[in-house]
């Protein structure tokens, strides 16, 4: 019996040792798999973060200066996109190899995403020009200003397929310290102007052209419009002025960010 017990004890002992070994191996395998999974998840998370860059905060002061060194002008186009006039403005800009900033009204961008995408595809930049174009919004509550600015930004970026809006222009220049900071915190540099073509006032082509020429010494950022009415004179003025200004030694760039 003692011998039998010894044999059985040896068998049991060997079985127990095998079980322990298998358990240890299982723990090691599970640990390795968990580590590999965590590493894989870490890589995926990193890729997701890389694919979704954080919003870059910018200077909240109103910019006029050009990114381009030397004698430069920034062409800015407000109040669109418009299905009639925006394509014509794009054609003229392409003809004269000029890039511009398009300051868009949120609902207009939402209604014409094809035009927003055309603007981006042509190498131009986007600007938030609010929802309602309320030139008295500097006298409205901060909650109203935020709704006007941030809702428009989302509409424009959605219409653009995710391309970031890089500037914010208050209607009629109705900036406030709050609206400037809010825009900057959401990656949009407040954008002013130095030269108002007054193309929205219904003046003649000659009047628009002379206004721009007379104000060239004011600074580099020029204001035109592609929305809000008949912009045939705007299109003609751009077609006339852009090559003329280039012959005078001006280049064309974007406002600083």
């Amino acid at each position: 019996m003692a011998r039998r017990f010894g044999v059985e004890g040896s068998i049991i002992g060997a079985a127990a040792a095998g079980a322990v070994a298998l358990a240890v191996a299982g723990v090691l395998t599970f640990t390795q798999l968990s580590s590999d999974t965590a590493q894989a998840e870490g890589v995926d998370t990193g890729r997701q973060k890389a694919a979704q860059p954080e919003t870059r905060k910018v200077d909240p002061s109103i910019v006029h200066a050009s990114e381009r060194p030397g004698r430069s002008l920034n062409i800015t186009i407000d109040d669109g996109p418009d299905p009639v006039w925006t394509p014509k403005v794009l054609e003229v800009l392409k003809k004269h190899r000029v890039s511009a900033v398009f300051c868009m009204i949120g609902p207009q961008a939402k209604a014409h995403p094809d035009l927003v995408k055309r603007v981006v595809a042509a190498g131009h930049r986007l600007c938030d020009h609010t929802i309602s174009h309320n030139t008295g919004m500097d006298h409205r509550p901060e909650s109203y200003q935020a709704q006007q600015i941030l809702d428009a930004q989302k509409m424009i970026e959605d219409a653009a397929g995710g391309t970031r809006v890089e500037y914010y222009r208050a209607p009629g220049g109705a900036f406030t310290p709050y609206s400037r900071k809010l825009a900057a915190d959401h990656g949009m540099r407040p954008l002013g102007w130095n030269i108002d073509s007054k193309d929205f006032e219904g003046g003649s082509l000659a009047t628009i052209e002379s206004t721009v020429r007379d104000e060239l010494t004011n600074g580099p950022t020029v204001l035109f419009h592609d929305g809000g009415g008949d912009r045939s004179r705007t299109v003609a003025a751009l077609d006339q002025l852009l090559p003329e200004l280039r012959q005078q030694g001006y280049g064309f760039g974007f406002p600083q960010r």
Side-chain angles (χ1 to χ4, degrees):
M1 290 293 297
R3 181 178 177 83
R4 178 179 172 82
F5 179 80
V7 171
E8 290 177 349
S10 298
I11 294 172
I12 293 171
V20 169
L22 288 172
V24 171
V27 169
L28 290 174
T29 301
F30 177 80
T31 301
Q32 182 62 41
L33 288 172
S34 298
S35 177
D36 291 345
T37 301
Q39 289 178 2
E41 290 176 348
V43 170
D44 289 342
T45 301
R47 286 175 181 164
Q48 290 173 359
K49 288 181 179 178
Q52 299 175 353
E54 294 182 1
T55 299
R56 171 191 169 193
K57 292 185 179 180
V58 299
D59 189 330
S61 64
I62 299 172
V63 68
H64 301 87
S66 179
E67 287 182 345
R68 184 182 182 278
R71 203 176 190 198
S72 298
L73 295 172
N74 307 317
I75 302 300
T76 63
I77 313 290
D78 283 19
D79 296 355
D82 181 274
V84 174
W85 302 113
T86 301
K88 294 181 184 299
V89 170
L90 286 171
E91 288 172 9
V92 172
L93 294 173
K94 181 179 180 180
K95 175 181 175 181
H96 299 293
R97 305 181 310 281
V98 172
S99 296
V101 176
F102 282 76
C103 299
M104 297 184 174
I105 305 296
Q108 286 293 107
K110 183 177 181 179
H112 304 289
D114 55 325
L115 292 179
V116 181
K117 290 181 175 67
R118 280 186 62 182
V119 166
V120 172
H124 306 294
R125 291 185 184 178
L126 300 175
C127 173
D128 178 339
H129 205 33
T130 74
I131 293 289
S132 304
H133 199 275
N134 182 351
T135 57
M137 66 181 291
D138 53 335
H139 300 296
R140 300 296 299 274
E142 291 180 353
S143 59
Y144 175 85
Q145 297 178 49
Q147 178 264 331
Q148 286 284 310
I149 295 167
L150 299 183
D151 285 4
Q153 181 186 21
K154 184 176 189 309
M155 287 181 183
I156 298 165
E157 290 181 348
D158 286 350
T163 299
R164 290 277 173 85
V165 174
E166 299 192 48
Y167 305 93
Y168 163 65
R169 173 173 278 166
F175 290 100
T176 66
Y178 171 79
S179 68
R180 290 191 289 106
K181 184 178 186 304
L182 179 71
D185 286 348
H186 286 80
M188 298 180 290
R189 182 74 186 267
L191 175 60
W193 65 85
N194 308 104
I195 303 167
D196 184 351
S197 69
K198 294 184 172 58
D199 58 344
F200 62 92
E201 292 186 357
S204 67
L205 173 59
T207 299
I208 295 171
E209 292 177 356
S210 64
T211 298
V212 173
R213 294 187 190 105
D214 292 345
E215 295 186 7
L216 284 171
T217 56
N218 291 352
T221 302
V222 192
L223 171 60
F224 292 98
H225 296 79
D226 64 340
D230 183 348
R231 296 297 173 228
S232 57
R233 289 179 295 277
T234 300
V235 174
L238 285 167
D239 199 25
Q240 174 65 34
L241 286 168
L242 294 179
E244 175 185 313
L245 293 169
R246 197 184 293 279
Q247 288 175 1
Q248 294 177 18
Y250 286 99
F252 300 92
F254 291 117
Q256 290 178 358
R257 288 265 297 149

